[in-house]
Amino acid sequence: MMRDHGSHGVADQDVAEKHAQHGHHAPAPAARGAHVTSSHDRHAGHSVEMFRNRFWISLALTIPVLLYAQMLWDWAGVDMPDLPAQKVVPFLLGTVVYVYGGSVFVRSAAGELRSRMPGMMTLVALGITTAYVYSAATTFLLEGEGFYWELATLVDVMLLGHWIEMRSIGRARGALGELAKLLPDTAERVTEHGVEEVPASALSVEDVVLVRPGGRVPADGEVVEGSSHVDESMLTGESRPVAKAFGDVVVAGSVNGEGSLRARVTKTGEETALAGIARLVAEAEASKSRAQALADRAASLLTYVAIAAGGATALVWAIAGRDVQFVIERTVTVIVIACPHALGLAVPLVIAIATGLSARSGILVRDRLALERARELDVVVFDKTGTLTKGELGVVGLVTTGDLDEGDALALAAGLESDSEHPLARAIVGEAGRRGLAPVGIEDFQAASGRGVEGRVGGRIVRLGGPKLLEELGVGVPEELGPEVKAWADEGKTVVYLIDGDAIVAAFALADSIREESREAVQALREMGMRVAMITGDSEAVAAWVARELEIEEVFAQVLPEHKAARVKELQERGLRVAMIGDGVNDAPALVQADVGIAIGAGTDVAIEAADVILVRDDPRDVVGVVGLSRASYRKMLQNLAWATGYNVVALPLAAGVLEPVGVTLSPAVGALLMALSTVVVSLNAQLLRRVRLAAEE
């Protein structure tokens, strides 16, 4: 559920500051037209500039304040020179720093108090206000030295910390901005009178656009003329350009290669794949996170702990008879040290970086809770067809008699099938092409429906067909091919025979071919400590063959699409946490039932409602990337939370003055510096997440 921080009643600037301080990210709206933007991006950019400007101006004003600080001259062992207006100048400059630099925190604190949610801004505002009020009192009413230099440096350090933090968040939140930059501002629309340049936002469905070599595709479309290679890495993470020709789909933002393309526009604006990705990124950032909820509760608790600790510090030192200046200094330092600044950044920054990384790698996370659950998975269940396999027939076995080698047999079979559109024919011709074999020229070609094909080569009749052809010709399978053919039949594969004259010289096994990437994916998941299962509507024999090839432990065969969810539930009832990997259409009920539903091979169809995570490519190795990202993100969150809370555990007693009897104290400025450093440590640690490799290397 999204939290509406804007309802606190603070100005837009304060809302941005408050979001930055708490680490929350306002959800980006759906893309409009050809632009993918976020209101938070605008606020974040504004806040970075605002914090930067206030920091430099406040720093410039702080320098003369330091020159008027008696304590600093004493530390340096030098007599303080006789400076003009020694009380008025620090007061005036300190007032400007407090009002100009500190007002950011004071206004945000007012918003927290109005919403009855005191937090980090309340603590910061309390610290600097206490320091300023006490300093002003020493200038006009009380005896003692004010905290002007501590106040000024405290504001400077706080502004610097926020500036650094906002820059870090801005880099992490750059995924949507990067997507927006991919879209060209203009397009070349083909009309009856030629080509005209128009704004990309003016394109409509059915328009035909010209995409020149090196240009970006302005909208989703279908190639109607030309051929080229297109770089789609922005969408899929695929490093190699993808061949495009007539009928192929091109997506907005992808980069055309060497050839000119004409494409008919099929989707514009919010319907494009790029806009869909932006919406998914925004949904992921708006979705609730268990780790974020934990950090929020810890920050809220620490707020009350800090106020209580500050009050207790003041009370104890007052009872101990220490002077007012010492008591206030200790109290201010405790409050400043306790600011859960790093705690507020610990989780959101990790999430933001993880979301951006995954989106750029073709891994689209809709639900962050699901991504967090992925680290706890016990079983990964793959749908077979189109996921572990290619979803199309391929040659998976070839055996010959001693009269012919494999290359000659395949070239001859490809020659017989070269003019056929039958799936078996395409499989054989495709295999020959992959091996670089040219089909043998065939004369007098004839096709016999249901039996096979035949032709003449060098005066000999050659045929290719299945068991019906053998039965018609009265030809038996040679003994040397028998064991292999029987094994193929037992595995549910389709077997066809190459017959030269009256003798069988080769046999081919055809089946839904297994992706090579599947072997790597299954092995990697097993190495990560997970079991792998497979679910399919195919026969037991086919399922057993695929499972044996991939070393999959558990198989559900002959399962109808509507029953796949029940199989997932069976695993869950054993106490197992289950991920379901499917195509997002027939597998939708199972995707919903699973603890983590992953739709694979979505391509440009990113609007798959049933899935928690969407893999743009059809590479099962990306599932490994999802689990790896989940585990790495969780580690970073724990590390950041441990650092942020551990820092407070150590620093609070020092700030309260427990070591003061042995001469060890922390001033408010040093406390602010340590707090800012803790934020920098958390930010740098989160940035290390960028080293995680998500997309499978080709």
Side-chain angles (χ1 to χ4, degrees):
M1 183 188 306
M2 288 165 29
R3 289 173 288 245
D4 185 8
H5 293 282
S7 64
H8 292 177
V10 276
D12 280 350
Q13 174 175 293
D14 295 329
V15 171
E17 294 154 8
K18 188 170 177 62
H19 277 303
Q21 178 64 23
H22 281 282
H24 296 308
H25 300 286
R32 286 174 173 79
H35 302 284
V36 184
T37 60
S38 152
S39 60
H40 183 278
D41 292 333
R42 293 190 293 272
H43 285 317
H46 172 67
S47 296
V48 170
E49 181 180 351
M50 182 270 295
F51 280 121
R52 181 193 64 205
N53 293 342
R54 294 194 184 213
F55 166 72
W56 286 117
I57 292 174
S58 296
L59 180 63
L61 295 173
T62 299
I63 294 174
V65 172
L66 296 176
L67 294 176
Y68 276 81
Q70 176 70 53
M71 186 182 299
L72 297 183
W73 290 102
D74 293 342
W75 286 352
V78 179
D79 291 335
M80 180 177 175
D82 187 16
L83 299 174
Q86 289 194 1
K87 283 199 171 185
V88 175
V89 170
F91 168 72
L92 292 176
L93 295 177
T95 299
V96 174
V97 171
Y98 173 72
V99 173
Y100 178 70
S103 61
V104 174
F105 312 112
V106 174
R107 288 201 307 272
S108 294
E112 288 183 342
L113 294 174
R114 280 195 298 269
S115 64
R116 298 181 182 180
M117 293 176 59
M120 288 171 281
M121 291 293 92
T122 302
L123 289 175
V124 174
L126 181 60
I128 63 175
T129 300
T130 301
Y132 175 72
V133 171
Y134 175 75
S135 299
T138 61
T139 302
F140 300 107
L141 301 174
L142 305 176
E143 290 294 327
E145 185 178 353
F147 288 162
Y148 289 119
W149 77 270
E150 289 98 333
L151 163 68
T153 52
L154 173 58
V155 171
D156 292 344
V157 171
M158 291 296 296
L159 289 171
L160 177 61
H162 277 67
W163 179 21
I164 294 171
E165 177 184 337
M166 292 303 295
R167 288 182 63 189
S168 297
I169 292 176
R171 285 193 293 268
R173 283 281 290 113
L176 297 185
E178 291 173 16
L179 289 175
K181 295 176 184 177
L182 295 174
L183 290 170
D185 294 325
T186 61
E188 293 189 81
R189 183 165 57 193
V190 179
T191 67
E192 296 177 356
H193 308 292
V195 177
E196 61 178 2
E197 186 172 295
V198 298
S201 57
L203 293 175
S204 302
V205 174
E206 299 297 331
D207 282 347
V208 174
V209 294
L210 171 64
V211 186
R212 300 183 187 275
R216 287 193 181 273
V217 179
D220 289 4
E222 181 180 301
V223 177
V224 295
E225 184 180 325
S227 62
S228 184
H229 286 78
V230 175
D231 179 1
E232 295 181 343
S233 58
M234 40 66 68
L235 178 71
T236 66
E238 168 66 65
S239 58
R240 296 177 301 186
V242 180
K244 300 291 182 181
F246 179 83
D248 289 333
V249 172
V250 290
V251 294
S254 56
V255 181
N256 186 25
E258 72 286 355
S260 291
L261 295 175
R262 293 186 182 228
R264 179 175 55 83
V265 175
T266 56
K267 294 178 183 177
T268 61
E270 294 185 18
E271 301 301 317
T272 62
L274 202 58
I277 292 174
R279 284 193 295 273
L280 290 176
V281 172
E283 284 180 29
E285 290 172 342
S287 65
K288 193 172 183 179
S289 164
R290 285 179 296 184
Q292 179 61 61
L294 174 63
D296 289 344
R297 287 196 299 272
S300 178
L301 176 62
L302 192 54
T303 298
Y304 296 108
V305 168
I307 293 174
T313 299
L315 181 62
V316 169
W317 286 117
I319 293 174
R322 300 304 295 264
D323 60 81
V324 174
Q325 180 168 336
F326 179 85
V327 171
I328 293 177
E329 181 180 285
R330 290 301 95 220
T331 302
V332 170
T333 305
V334 166
I335 292 174
V336 170
I337 283 285
C339 290
H341 194 248
L343 186 62
L345 186 62
V347 173
L349 187 54
V350 171
I351 291 172
I353 293 173
T355 302
L357 278 177
S358 60
R360 286 190 292 271
S361 300
I363 300 173
L364 309 179
V365 180
R366 168 173 280 121
D367 183 0
R368 285 205 305 246
L369 274 176
L371 181 61
E372 290 180 29
R373 288 194 298 268
R375 69 180 176 82
E376 303 172 333
L377 291 172
D378 300 307
V379 182
V380 177
V381 181
F382 284 95
D383 177 55
K384 180 186 75 71
T385 306
T387 302
L388 293 175
T389 64
K390 296 179 180 179
E392 59 186 31
L393 282 176
V395 177
V396 297
L398 168 58
V399 62
T400 67
T401 63
D403 301 328
L404 205 63
D405 64 28
E406 287 191 3
D408 292 338
L410 187 56
L412 189 54
L416 286 167
E417 298 284 20
S418 59
D419 293 329
S420 174
E421 288 300 317
H422 192 280
L424 293 176
R426 289 200 299 270
I428 290 173
V429 173
E431 182 65 20
R434 277 186 289 274
R435 297 193 186 189
L437 301 173
V440 173
I442 301 294
E443 300 175 348
D444 300 331
F445 173 82
Q446 295 181 25
S449 179
R451 296 193 302 277
V453 294
E454 69 174 56
R456 193 178 296 275
V457 176
R460 309 186 326 269
I461 295 177
V462 290
R463 300 178 177 89
L464 187 71
K468 287 187 178 180
L469 180 61
L470 300 190
E471 183 180 341
E472 182 180 290
L473 296 175
V475 176
V477 177
E479 185 175 338
E480 57 192 298
L481 303 184
E484 200 75 38
V485 169
K486 183 179 185 303
W488 291 339
D490 290 342
E491 293 168 347
K493 299 173 183 174
T494 299
V495 182
V496 294
Y497 304 91
L498 180 64
I499 305 169
D500 188 346
D502 295 327
I504 294 176
V505 293
F508 300 83
L510 296 102
D512 184 3
S513 52
I514 297 172
R515 299 180 187 278
E516 284 303 316
E517 303 89 355
S518 298
R519 304 179 196 277
E520 297 179 37
V522 171
Q523 181 181 357
L525 290 170
R526 288 164 61 93
E527 290 174 353
M528 296 171 83
M530 285 171 286
R531 294 168 53 192
V532 180
M534 183 180 72
I535 193 166
T536 179
D538 258 341
S539 67
E540 294 278 358
V542 172
W545 164 65
V546 174
R548 188 165 54 251
E549 288 289 314
L550 297 177
E551 298 183 4
I552 292 176
E553 298 98 328
E554 190 162 1
V555 177
F556 300 99
Q558 294 180 310
V559 180
L560 296 176
E562 59 267 28
H563 295 156
K564 290 181 179 179
R567 297 296 180 268
V568 171
K569 190 173 182 180
E570 284 179 18
L571 292 171
Q572 291 172 324
E573 288 172 348
R574 298 185 207 167
L576 302 173
R577 286 156 294 195
V578 182
M580 174 66 195
I581 322 298
D583 62 14
V585 181
N586 294 331
D587 302 317
L591 292 174
V592 173
Q593 176 64 45
D595 297 280
V596 181
I598 302 177
I600 189 170
T604 60
D605 181 16
V606 296
I608 299 178
E609 298 297 333
D612 302 308
V613 180
I614 298 169
L615 306 181
V616 175
R617 305 191 304 175
D618 54 6
D619 190 335
R621 292 177 297 179
D622 287 341
V623 176
V624 180
V626 172
V627 178
L629 176 64
S630 176
R631 293 182 176 181
S633 300
Y634 186 71
R635 283 195 302 271
K636 288 300 173 191
M637 289 178 189
L638 287 186
Q639 291 166 5
N640 281 356
L641 288 173
W643 171 264
T645 55
Y647 154 81
N648 282 281
V649 169
V650 173
L652 273 176
L654 292 177
V658 295
L659 296 182
E660 194 272 341
V662 296
V664 178
T665 59
L666 288 177
S667 70
V670 174
L673 179 61
L674 291 177
M675 183 274 297
L677 288 176
S678 74
T679 300
V680 173
V681 169
V682 165
S683 300
L684 292 176
N685 187 49
Q687 297 295 333
L688 295 178
L689 188 61
R690 298 184 184 278
R691 299 186 303 179
V692 175
R693 182 178 64 85
L694 298 184
E697 295 179 355
E698 296 297 330

